[in-house]
Amino acid sequence: EANPLPQDDSSLENMVRRFQDSMSLPKRHKFWETQPVGQFKDVGDTSLPEGPIEPPTPLSEVKQEPYNLPSQYEWTTCDMDSEETCIEVYNLLKNNYVEDDENMFRFNYSKEFLSWALRPPGYYKSWHIGVRAKTSKKLVAFITGIPARIRVRDEVVKMAEINFLCVHKKLRSKRLAPVMIKEVTRRVHLENIWQAAYTAGVVLPTPISTCQYWHRSLNPKKLIDVGFSRLGPRMTMSRTIKLYKLPDQPVTPGFRKMELRDVPAVTRLLRQYLSQFVVSPDFDENDVEHWLLPTEDVVDSYLVESPKTHDITDFCSFYTLPSSILGNQNYSILKAAYSYYNVSTKTPLLQLMNDALIVAKKKDFDVFNALDVMHNESFLKELKFGPGDGQLHYYLYNYRTRNALRASELGLVLL
Ligand code: MYA
């Protein structure tokens, strides 16, 4: 890569940035400052109303042609029904998607997971957007939206959930991401949808909430061997293994896997439960069937059916998201379960989640992860989860909330 001029470091802009960094002032965001999102300068301004930041424009005024890409690249709509395209997307993400701060692990979403995550009820193929190199046709960037109804307090808003933004490592810092975000925005607007929800590990203008991941070791020896966790002070390996030991079977009577016939009862239970949070999805039976009915190696759901009344009283779920382990001699994959939606009305949440840990362990997961959203704080410490480093920020596009929300006010989990 010939780049003869040391332009990047000496530019005035970068001097300003380094000065701002050193003063820990909020960073400038050349792109995000132009977008209808909460701006840092407005934080704490209680005179601004809650709700859309700008009104919808007439559909006839939405740009009809895609945004311009640098001339070597072209847009492609990724057909996730095609095994071949699915494999291309899978490989792009496997090699270029999110890593931890120390670059030891990288998300490795499976093809089956991507096909599930991107094809919920009412999905738009046009929102699965790729960028290819014109000459080689190689897929070099990706961004997706899926439709969702998201409730914010008493308003149910049609939104896009934006995910899987990825630019090939060799094409970073060339301002491709803003073009991709503008293009997905345009295609969402064409469907007469004007709001979006997304999460990111980076701070952008402006999080509606900031959460933390917690990790529960299921296979502590492997986690320590691969550098995911460390032996605690005054701990031996055998004491650590004993500390994280779990029973062989769930302990709650009536605890079983969710089935198709449970969809109506689970929908009622979940809708009732999620209504207490400030932000949550507005799930109907079709959504519950898609998002929560178990799919092998993608999503697992269990419920408690009362042995006496046969009522469905409690529910828990987790999704499967392995990470590649970068540069370890002995292991290449970390098998992680991520807590999804959990509802307790009769079984204490602590006991329900302990049963979830037990089934996850039986399914050979190495670690069980959970955010501190919803009521999760009530079980994290007691069930021996430890806080992770790094945070997850939640964002809304073109929708302002009065204040930032506490993580426990969020009833939404994005994949
Ligand atoms: S979060 C996961 C994001 N993906 C990764 O972290 C994978 C590894 N990283 C990469 O592939 C690249 O680093 C990416 C940036 C692609 C992330 N969300 O092209 P650039 C801003 C939003 O030179 P690159 C997820 O998928 C950055 O602040 N913006 O940078 C949710 C700067 O803008 P500004 C981000 O490093 C995505 C500009 O991009 C993110 O080559 C939600 C720099 O562009 C980020 N995660 O590429 C997207 N990272 O100057 C928003 C950087 O202003 C959706 N940036 O600071 C918005 C709603 C749209 C729909 C609306 C409908 C109404």
Side-chain angles (χ1 to χ4, degrees), residues 8 16 50 80 108 154 170 206 231 277 295 408:
D8 277 353
V16 170
E50 190 154 289
M80 299 304 291
N108 183 2
D154 339 316
K170 293 205 167 141
T206 299
L231 215 49
F277 302 106
T295 300
S408 60

Side-chain angles (χ1 to χ4, degrees), residues 12-277:
L12 183 59
E13 196 186 320
N14 279 285
M15 280 175 62
V16 170
R17 176 145 298 186
R18 283 207 305 280
F19 174 72
Q20 284 182 321
D21 283 355
S22 71
M23 302 285 288
S24 53
L25 296 170
K27 297 192 179 32
R28 295 233 25 214
H29 293 279
K30 273 223 148 131
F31 169 65
W32 282 109
E33 282 169 9
T34 68
Q35 297 298 301
V37 294
Q39 297 296 330
F40 291 148
K41 66 174 171 51
D42 297 332
V43 168
D45 184 342
T46 50
S47 74
L48 294 167
E50 190 154 289
I53 295 171
E54 58 181 37
T57 50
L59 279 182
S60 59
E61 284 171 30
V62 178
K63 193 167 137 45
Q64 290 298 306
E65 326 73 46
Y67 282 89
N68 289 326
L69 281 169
S71 62
Q72 318 88 290
Y73 304 105
E74 63 190 21
W75 296 111
T76 178
T77 294
C78 293
D79 177 2
M80 299 304 291
D81 298 332
S82 145
E83 171 79 3
E84 197 186 328
T85 312
C86 229
I87 292 173
E88 284 184 282
V89 169
Y90 168 80
N91 281 321
L92 175 74
L93 297 179
K94 176 166 84 84
N95 295 316
N96 301 279
Y97 201 48
V98 177
E99 300 179 8
D100 66 306
D101 292 337
E102 279 99 63
N103 312 102
M104 295 172 69
F105 309 98
R106 192 187 304 124
F107 283 146
N108 183 2
Y109 287 91
S110 71
K111 289 181 299 239
E112 296 71 29
F113 190 108
L114 292 168
S115 157
W116 168 73
L118 295 177
R119 297 186 309 159
Y123 78 93
Y124 302 97
K125 201 175 271 182
S126 61
W127 293 7
H128 302 157
I129 307 173
V131 173
R132 292 187 190 278
K134 271 186 190 162
T135 45
S136 66
K137 301 290 174 207
K138 187 179 147 89
L139 186 69
V140 296
F142 192 57
I143 189 168
T144 67
I146 54 169
R149 294 177 314 281
I150 305 288
R151 184 185 50 77
V152 183
R153 296 187 218 279
D154 339 316
E155 306 276 0
V156 176
V157 185
K158 275 189 166 185
M159 296 198 192
E161 290 175 357
I162 307 298
N163 203 348
F164 304 114
L165 168 60
C166 182
V167 167
H168 193 286
K169 286 186 180 229
K170 293 205 167 141
L171 301 180
R172 296 279 169 87
S173 307
K174 297 178 187 293
R175 311 299 298 182
L176 235 96
V179 190
M180 301 185 66
I181 293 167
K182 284 193 278 185
E183 181 60 14
V184 75
T185 302
R186 189 185 71 82
R187 297 189 192 192
V188 170
H189 285 167
L190 285 173
E191 304 299 340
N192 201 18
I193 295 174
W194 305 89
Q195 271 74 35
Y198 49 104
T199 56
V202 293
V203 179
L204 306 163
T206 299
I208 62 156
S209 187
T210 294
C211 316
Q212 205 179 19
Y213 267 111
W214 290 65
H215 310 283
R216 202 315 181 161
S217 300
L218 301 175
N219 185 356
K221 172 146 188 340
K222 174 169 168 185
L223 294 179
I224 291 167
D225 284 351
V226 303
F228 183 89
S229 36
R230 274 198 301 260
L231 215 49
R234 283 165 271 103
M235 283 294 274
T236 61
M237 189 61 84
S238 57
R239 282 188 66 196
T240 305
I241 291 167
K242 194 169 154 213
L243 176 68
Y244 291 115
K245 229 175 154 37
L246 287 160
D248 288 332
Q249 300 291 339
V251 303
T252 308
F255 187 92
R256 62 167 174 85
K257 214 170 140 159
M258 180 189 173
E259 298 173 21
L260 185 58
R261 63 184 163 103
D262 301 314
V263 165
V266 168
T267 306
R268 282 193 299 271
L269 193 66
L270 197 59
R271 288 185 64 85
Q272 172 66 34
Y273 181 77
L274 291 178
S275 69
Q276 69 189 294
F277 302 106

Side-chain angles (χ1 to χ4, degrees), residues 211-212 214 269-270 272-279 314-315 339-345 347-353 370-383 385 406-413:
C211 316
Q212 205 179 19
W214 290 65
L269 193 66
L270 197 59
Q272 172 66 34
Y273 181 77
L274 291 178
S275 69
Q276 69 189 294
F277 302 106
V278 177
V279 177
D314 312 276
F315 175 82
S339 173
Y340 198 28
Y341 291 97
N342 310 304
V343 182
S344 101
T345 69
T347 310
L349 186 59
L350 191 90
Q351 180 180 324
L352 187 69
M353 295 310 295
L371 290 164
D372 54 358
V373 298
M374 295 182 266
H375 295 151
N376 291 359
E377 275 203 304
S378 71
F379 64 77
L380 292 170
K381 285 184 180 155
E382 229 173 318
L383 292 181
F385 286 72
R406 289 183 289 271
S408 60
E409 294 178 302
L410 288 175
L412 175 66
V413 177

